């Protein structure tokens, strides 16, 4: 069979050729004694190998800007969630990392003074976000989802962006004082961003789930963002 | 992929050459195979007709080849006296390495090899089946399409198109078997004998979902009528059990739909005396989704509600500084998960031990036990949220209700198992289950209530003897 495939590659120039194409070759029979030669040529596809090499020579600014632009484009996708597959196709974890670290740093200010003042530590936030995202991804895959592991991590991480914005707003609002009105404002902002996050990630992830299990997949995402919103909302005012 | 003696055409696997003692004088159909071997089945030539026409597949193709002992040059015997079954190959009397050893699914279908039984095995699965002189015409080879095989055709499946792809059908339908009983029946007999003699041959079976296809190695339950057991397996809805190192194994634990989970949650909230949770709701399909996420939700709501309740209690106190007390979440999580997994483990172990002692006590599987426990914890979630209400009596009442509900789910689930056991042992076990459950509830409640102590004493210390009692109340 290996020889057969070689022959196909030799003849048709393509690795996977539909059988009828070679129907005419069925008359040819080759005895086993004759050594079969050939070469396998892989047709040059859409990607050109030259591109990969040339990125070594480009200025560092170009490399960084390219990645930054990709991250920025995904941020825009999250803020205006449409059914686009760009987020899923070219996943990267830079955005989630930046968001997670900034969120964890911003949540740190509350526990700076007393040690039994129980705000979430940096490690707690980090672990909750990443471990939570991993568990949700595993859950959706175990339920029969077709999305890949890192794509799901990417989407869940990027959809933390609204909550990071909410945290920023809360910190700024808390600078103005702390009272019931401030609390109401914070509550409204956090709730709105929580809803935005959940809807954005559901919009990206729900399509890859079997239809009769969508609710089973959405609930853990809901719980995940709820926990993060809880951490943001209970950030103690100074 | 071992090739037979004569390589076939380029686009297809080589056809089965005639047995060595036969001169390939026109009886060989090299041009016939177009998509042999790796290809699927091919239209067989007519019985006794020109073998060069049509295509040879894994099915039986009729080649009017003379039987082995005939000297070359003799006119070929009437068709049917030597039937080509399976892929042609050099006629070898002994086992050939081309045949699928046990446990390997080979291209060209499964070919169990017998200990030199009737028929000769060639490599790559080509076989020639000598037939008795008065046996009648060689059976027309089966078309490669998915029609039921007639037993007169080869007993081998057509070659599969891809490795590890399943042949469309393995054995003839019983109806077809009976219908063509008067025809070449020993073909099928031989194949059945092969399987009976070598039950370790690789067999495959279709399951409802492609993702759960598993190669059933050495299945001892495949008897002579392998297809019938396959069909009954499929009909009974049993799933193949992939190994525990595969992802599919764990997917079987999450095989629930949304409405099923909802039904189970409702059943855990409203236990009816007649309905055993395990039998009524689980129905041999325990899942891990419910227990896992119920425990996660419960851990979070316990910590969050205790924190909020204490904050609400003490907000009138000017010296009160709110703190999220986030460290409670991992603690609550650890407690809940330990309970939800260790208690079922202990219970299951105990029941297995009792089953070993006296055969009357039945036992659920560990998964079902863990499932019941997980779903029974669902009653605590609304209770823990309602603990936000400040009245202490209300909180204890809610606690009692939740414990009663979830405890009754457990009792109803396990009582049928223990009926056969001695009274004392059964009651003791049920008491232990309930006690643990209530202990969990109380254990969740106590940190909750101590988080917000009784309303603080007024800041102005009352004069006189009340001074000494002030600090004690804090």
């Amino acid at each position: 069979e290996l020889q057969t495939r070689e022959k196909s590659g030799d003849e048709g120039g393509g690795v996977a050729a539909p059988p009828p194409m070679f129907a005419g070759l069925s008359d040819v029979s080759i005895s086993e004694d004759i050594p079969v030669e050939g070469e396998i040529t892989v047709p040059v596809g859409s990607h050109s190998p030259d591109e990969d090499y040339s990125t070594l020579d480009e200025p560092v600014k170009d490399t960084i800007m390219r990645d930054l632009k990709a991250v920025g484009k995904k941020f825009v996708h999250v803020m205006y969630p449409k059914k686009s597959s760009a987020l899923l196709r070219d996943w990267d974890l830079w955005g989630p990392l930046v968001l997670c670290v900034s969120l964890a740093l911003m949540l740190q200010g509350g526990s700076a003074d007393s040690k039994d003042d129980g705000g979430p530590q940096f490690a707690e936030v980090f672990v909750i976000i990443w471990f939570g995202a991993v568990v949700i991804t595993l859950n959706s895959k175990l339920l029969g989802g077709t999305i890949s592991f890192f794509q799901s991590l990417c989407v869940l991480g990027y959809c933390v962006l609204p909550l990071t914005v909410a945290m920023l707003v809360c910190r700024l609002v808390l600078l103005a004082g702390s009272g019931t009105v401030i609390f109401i404002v914070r509550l409204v902002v956090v709730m709105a961003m929580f809803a935005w996050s959940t809807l954005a990630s559901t919009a990206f992830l729900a399509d890859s789930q079997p239809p009769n299990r969508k609710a089973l997949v959405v609930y853990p995402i809901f719980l995940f963002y709820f926990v993060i919103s809880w951490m943001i909302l209970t950030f103690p005012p100074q | 992929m071992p090739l037979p003696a004569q390589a076939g055409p380029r686009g297809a696997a080589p056809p089965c050459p005639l047995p060595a003692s036969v001169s390939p004088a026109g009886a060989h159909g090299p041009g016939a195979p177009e998509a042999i071997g790796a290809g699927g089945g091919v239209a067989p030539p007519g019985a006794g007709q020109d073998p060069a026409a049509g295509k040879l597949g894994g099915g039986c193709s009729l080649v009017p080849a003379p039987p082995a002992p005939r000297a070359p040059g003799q006119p070929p015997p009437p068709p049917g006296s030597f039937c080509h079954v399976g892929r042609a190959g050099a006629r070898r009397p002994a086992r050939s390495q081309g045949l699928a050893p046990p446990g390997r699914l080979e291209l060209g279908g499964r070919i169990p090899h017998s200990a030199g039984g009737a028929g000769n095995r060639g490599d790559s699965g080509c076989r020639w089946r000598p037939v008795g002189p008065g046996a009648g015409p060689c059976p027309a080879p089966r078309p490669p399409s998915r029609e039921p095989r007639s037993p007169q055709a080869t007993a081998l499946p057509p070659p599969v198109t891809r490795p590890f792809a399943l042949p469309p059908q393995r054995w003839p339908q019983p109806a077809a078997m009976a219908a063509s009983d008067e025809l070449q029946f020993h073909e099928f007999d031989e194949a059945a004998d092969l399987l009976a003699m070598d039950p370790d041959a690789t067999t495959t079976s279709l399951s409802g979902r492609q993702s759960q296809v598993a190669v059933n190695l050495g299945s001892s339950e495949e008897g002579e009528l392998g297809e019938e057991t396959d069909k009954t397996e499929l009909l009974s809805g049993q799933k193949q059990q992939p190994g525990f190192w595969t992802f599919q194994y764990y997917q079987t634990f999450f095989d629930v739909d949304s409405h099923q989970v909802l039904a189970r949650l409702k059943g855990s909230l409203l236990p009816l005396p007649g309905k055993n949770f395990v039998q009524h709701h689980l129905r041999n399909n325990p899942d891990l989704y419910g227990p896992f996420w119920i425990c996660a939700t419960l851990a979070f709501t316990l910590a969050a509600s205790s924190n909020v309740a204490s904050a609400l209690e003490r907000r009138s106190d000017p010296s009160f500084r709110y703190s999220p007390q986030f460290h409670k979440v991992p603690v609550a999580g650890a407690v809940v998960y330990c309970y939800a997994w260790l208690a079922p483990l202990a219970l299951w172990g105990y029941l297995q031990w009792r089953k070993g002692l006296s055969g009357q006590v039945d036992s659920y599987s560990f998964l079902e036990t863990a499932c019941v426990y997980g779903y029974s914890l669902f009653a605590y979630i609304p209770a823990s949220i309602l603990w936000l209400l400040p009245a202490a009596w209300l909180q204890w009442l809610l606690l009692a209700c939740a414990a009663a509900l979830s405890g009754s789910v457990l009792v109803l689930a396990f009582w049928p198992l223990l009926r056969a056991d001695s009274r004392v042992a059964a009651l003791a076990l049920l008491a232990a289950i309930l006690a643990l459950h209530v202990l969990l509830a109380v254990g969740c409640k106590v940190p909750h209530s101590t988080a917000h102590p009784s309303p603080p004493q007024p800041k102005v210390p009352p004069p006189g003897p009340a001074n000494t009692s002030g600090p004690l109340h804090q």
Side-chain angles (χ1 to χ4, degrees), chain A residues 1 3-4 11 25-26 28 30 32 113 117-118 124 128 139 141-143 212-213 216 219-220 226 230-231 234, chain B residues 3-4 7 9-10 33-34 107 251 254-258 289 293 297 300 304 308 321-326:
Chain A
E1 181 186 295
Q3 300 173 356
T4 315
E11 296 283 330
L25 298 174
S26 60
V28 182
I30 302 178
E32 230 180 20
D113 35 8
D117 200 337
E124 280 177 347
I128 282 180
N139 175 69
K141 284 187 80 71
L142 283 170
L143 284 172
N212 51 346
R213 295 179 183 182
L216 297 184
Y219 172 71
F226 191 81
W230 179 261
M231 287 196 289
T234 60
Chain B
L3 291 176
R10 290 181 165 221
E34 292 187 4
L107 272 182
Q251 263 185 332
F254 283 77
D255 192 16
V256 278
D257 293 338
S258 310
Y289 175 90
W293 289 108
T297 311
F300 176 69
V308 171
R321 279 205 56 210
Y322 172 74
S323 72
Q325 290 176 322
F326 205 73

Side-chain angles (χ1 to χ4, degrees), chain B residues 348-365:
Chain B
W348 174 77
Y350 175 79
L351 283 176
Q352 293 286 94
W353 173 64
R354 292 297 287 191
K355 191 159 109 171
L357 278 190
S358 78
Q360 297 167 324
V361 176
D362 201 355
S363 165
Y364 299 129
S365 71

Side-chain angles (χ1 to χ4, degrees), chain B residues 126-343:
Chain B
C126 299
R127 297 198 305 165
W128 294 98
R129 167 89 168 95
V131 166
C138 201
R142 269 176 293 135
S145 61
R146 301 172 179 240
E147 20 184 83
R149 283 173 192 278
S150 59
Q152 51 183 352
T154 177
L156 297 172
V160 295
T161 53
R162 303 176 308 252
F164 303 106
L166 302 172
Q169 206 158 355
R170 296 193 301 113
W171 298 110
Q173 306 278 349
M177 258 169 48
S180 47
D181 204 58
E182 64 278 7
L183 300 178
Q184 293 281 342
F185 194 72
H186 44 263
E187 293 276 354
F188 180 69
D189 273 345
E190 169 214 335
D193 291 345
L194 294 175
L195 192 50
M197 279 189 278
D198 189 6
D200 284 343
T202 306
T203 60
T204 59
S205 44
L206 284 165
S207 80
R209 271 159 292 188
Q210 275 301 111
S211 62
Q212 291 200 355
V213 160
V215 176
N216 195 4
L217 301 177
S219 159
S220 57
E221 54 186 324
E222 307 273 0
E224 294 190 8
L225 303 172
E227 188 181 50
E228 278 192 340
T229 59
D230 258 4
K231 275 172 45 172
T232 50
E233 257 189 29
L234 287 176
L235 289 175
S236 72
Q238 284 179 358
K239 300 184 260 252
Q240 296 281 346
Q241 280 296 322
F244 72 91
W245 57 88
T246 61
F247 195 67
Q248 281 78 22
Y249 178 75
Y250 298 103
Q251 263 185 332
T252 59
F253 300 147
F254 283 77
D255 192 16
V256 278
D257 293 338
S258 310
H259 61 92
Q260 281 177 324
V261 172
L262 273 180
R264 291 175 188 190
L265 290 177
K266 275 191 272 197
S268 77
L269 270 185
L270 305 167
L272 300 176
K275 296 190 176 176
N276 182 353
F277 186 80
V278 174
Q279 283 165 2
H280 186 71
H281 285 105
L282 291 190
R283 286 180 207 247
N284 285 338
N285 190 21
D287 71 302
L288 284 183
Y289 175 90
F292 183 80
W293 289 108
I294 289 176
C295 292
T297 311
L298 182 63
F300 176 69
T301 56
L302 277 178
S305 79
S306 97
N307 183 239
V308 171
S310 76
L312 285 179
E313 229 10 75
R314 289 158 53 181
R315 69 173 181 269
S316 52
D317 184 2
S319 72
F320 165 67
R321 279 205 56 210
Y322 172 74
S323 72
Q325 290 176 322
F326 205 73
H327 63 90
K328 283 193 182 173
V329 174
V331 169
V335 167
V336 171
Y337 272 101
C338 279
Y339 175 77
W341 291 99
L342 294 182

Side-chain angles (χ1 to χ4, degrees), chain A:
Chain A
E1 181 186 295
L2 192 59
Q3 300 173 356
T4 315
R5 290 251 174 96
E6 278 180 352
K7 289 298 159 236
S8 308
D10 212 15
E11 296 283 330
V15 182
M21 270 179 65
F22 298 97
L25 298 174
S26 60
D27 311 16
V28 182
S29 73
I30 302 178
S31 152
E32 230 180 20
D33 311 328
I34 301 178
V36 175
E37 302 177 9
E39 58 179 74
I40 300 178
T41 58
V42 178
V44 175
S46 53
H47 83 283
S48 60
D50 303 335
E51 262 181 30
D52 295 338
Y53 299 141
S54 72
T55 60
L56 277 179
D57 300 332
E58 65 180 10
V60 172
K61 184 168 86 95
D62 283 355
T63 314
I64 295 181
M65 285 312 292
R66 186 169 53 236
D67 283 337
L68 278 182
K69 279 197 200 127
V71 170
K73 199 156 57 163
K74 290 200 190 65
F75 280 154
V76 170
H77 272 297
V78 167
M79 294 312 276
Y80 300 106
K82 300 187 293 279
K83 292 271 192 279
S84 94
S85 60
L87 198 66
L88 293 181
R89 210 177 35 234
D90 310 317
W91 60 267
D92 74 274
L93 294 179
W94 281 114
L97 180 68
V98 164
L99 288 173
C100 178
V101 167
S102 58
L103 188 62
L105 282 177
M106 282 196 279
L107 279 170
Q108 280 311 291
S111 63
D113 35 8
S114 74
K115 54 179 178 297
D116 69 327
D117 200 337
Q121 304 297 315
F122 184 92
E124 280 177 347
V125 177
F126 212 82
V127 163
I128 282 180
I129 292 184
W130 286 103
F131 188 64
V134 166
V135 166
I136 293 175
T137 307
L138 280 180
N139 175 69
S140 82
K141 284 187 80 71
L142 283 170
L143 284 172
T146 55
I147 200 171
S148 97
F149 183 77
F150 284 108
Q151 280 174 352
S152 173
L153 276 188
C154 170
V155 169
L156 289 169
Y158 270 102
C159 289
V160 173
L161 175 68
L163 288 170
T164 311
V165 168
M167 183 71 213
L168 201 59
V169 168
C170 281
R171 283 301 288 263
L172 292 175
V173 161
L174 277 176
L175 288 178
S178 66
T180 312
V181 173
I182 303 283
F183 178 74
I184 302 283
V185 167
R186 283 167 54 208
L187 181 67
V188 167
V189 166
V190 169
M191 274 175 43
M193 292 300 167
F194 159 67
W196 198 337
S197 279
T198 310
L199 288 175
S201 64
T202 308
F204 285 117
L205 291 178
D207 285 340
S208 61
Q209 307 302 327
N212 51 346
R213 295 179 183 182
K214 280 204 164 68
L216 297 184
V217 173
V218 168
Y219 172 71
I221 300 179
F222 170 88
L223 187 65
F224 176 64
Y225 289 124
F226 191 81
V227 171
I228 299 181
S229 320
W230 179 261
M231 287 196 289
I232 294 175
L233 190 59
T234 60
F235 181 74
Q238 306 300 340

